[in-house]
């Protein structure tokens, strides 16, 4: 028997009745796009995050790109402007910047939190720097007071990539409500995941919302009148209905994730494995539980043989990817170390206490 990294079939089965009722409601309604389910989810999610608005869209990458494109249409960002972004993020964060005609500037993270390092960030601020795309990677809030005061000192737009951190709290606010605008992915494996692709933007900025809604609708706010060169990015009614149900369980799921993370930190003991630090453990919804290990591949194989599936987030950093080959010579030692040594242990709300204990005992037992 293999303990899956995240058994989505098991998760969905635990909530089958409510999810099937939500899907059936849409099937029976005869209305599949731009309807009441999307409106209801937008309202519920905005209220949950603590913003005035939520715009539902097709996926998390679209959510990010829509924000950048809307700021450009509004004249607050211009082609070639620089956007600071952590170097160790998932590639979608970077793609959203380059595909909008903006310039990503890669910033090293802290090794102890995996989040962007304010001291490194400030070294990269220049006359063309106009925004920070802050990524709450692995479900850990990346904000610090220092970082936010640097952003206001340099008048940077703060855009949050909250794809991995739904429900995360920072100073009594939720991530996704702290910056000027935030993108959310509801990819099925996320803490709040749909039964397919879905995404959303949260913000208090009503003007931005108007532009984003238009761009996501072929560039139109009025039937057959096109103000922008837009795209088609819509959340469908089925996904909205599913997400409205799943939103009800998000806090409870995040509490279970937090409890498992605590068990891991207290229970795992292996001199060859570095566990997350105390700093990492606060303001975190544990989308991912990362450990560092110099012999990561061997650790992964050993765990596989012992019936535990793990995943690497992520094996190749963006600056070493073929699609960004002009960055190949960049030296980003902390980012590279994370990409070489990171291994994610299974951690999700479906796990039983016995499975949690199995992970603790097997990880502690392995000799490398
Ligand atoms: C940090 C981050 N940003 C953006 C995305 C893109 O989201 P999506 O897969 O919904 O396009 C993801 C997830 O896939 C992500 O993990």
């Amino acid at each position: 028997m293999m303990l899956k990294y995240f058994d989505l079939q098991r998760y969905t089965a635990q909530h089958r009745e409510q999810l099937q009722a939500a899907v059936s409601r849409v099937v029976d309604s005869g209305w599949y796009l731009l309807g009441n389910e999307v409106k209801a989810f937008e309202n519920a999610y905005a209220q949950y995050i603590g913003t005035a608005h939520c715009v539902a869209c097709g996926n998390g990458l679209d959510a990010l790109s829509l924000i950048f494109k809307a700021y450009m249409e509004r004249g607050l960002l211009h082609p070639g402007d620089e956007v600071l972004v952590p170097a160790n993020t998932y590639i979608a964060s970077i793609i959203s910047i380059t595909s909008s005609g903006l310039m990503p500037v890669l910033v090293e993270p802290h090794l102890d939190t995996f989040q962007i390092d304010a001291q490194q960030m400030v070294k990269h601020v220049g006359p063309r720097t106009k925004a920070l795309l802050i990524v709450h990677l692995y479900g850990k809030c990346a904000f610090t007071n220092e970082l936010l005061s640097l952003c206001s000192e340099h008048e940077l737009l703060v855009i949050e990539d909250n794809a991995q951190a739904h429900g995360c709290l920072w100073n009594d606010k939720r991530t996704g409500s702290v910056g000027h605008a935030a993108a959310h992915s509801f990819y099925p494996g996320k803490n709040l995941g749909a039964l397919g692709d879905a995404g959303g933007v949260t913000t208090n900025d009503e003007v931005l919302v108007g532009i984003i809604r238009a761009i996501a609708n072929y560039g139109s706010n009025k039937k057959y009148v096109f103000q922008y060169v837009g795209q088609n990015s819509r959340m469908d009614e089925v996904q909205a209905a599913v997400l409205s149900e799943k939103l009800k369980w998000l806090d409870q799921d995040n509490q279970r994730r937090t409890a498992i993370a605590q068990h891991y930190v207290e229970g795992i003991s292996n001199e060859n494995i570095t566990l997350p630090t105390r700093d990492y453990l606060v303001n975190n919804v544990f989308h991912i539980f990362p450990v560092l290990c110099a012999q990561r591949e061997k650790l992964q194989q050993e765990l596989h043989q012992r019936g535990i599936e793990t995943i690497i987030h992520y094996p190749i950093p963006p600056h070493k990817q073929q699609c960004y080959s002009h960055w190949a010579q960049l030296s980003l030692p902390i980012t590279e170390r994370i990409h070489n040594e990171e291994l994610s242990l299974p951690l999700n709300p479906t796990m039983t206490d016995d499975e949690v204990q199995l992970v603790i005992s097997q990880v502690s037992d392995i000799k490398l």
Side-chain angles (χ1 to χ4, degrees), residues 134 143-153 158 170 178-179:
I134 189 163
F143 285 122
T144 61
N145 290 327
E146 183 192 15
L147 193 99
L148 277 180
S149 55
L150 285 170
C151 289
S152 53
E153 186 186 324
V158 178
W170 190 68
V178 180

Side-chain angles (χ1 to χ4, degrees), residues 17-28:
E17 275 177 29
Q18 297 98 308
L19 293 176
Q20 282 187 337
V23 172
S24 295
R25 196 167 67 226
V26 179
V27 171
D28 294 342

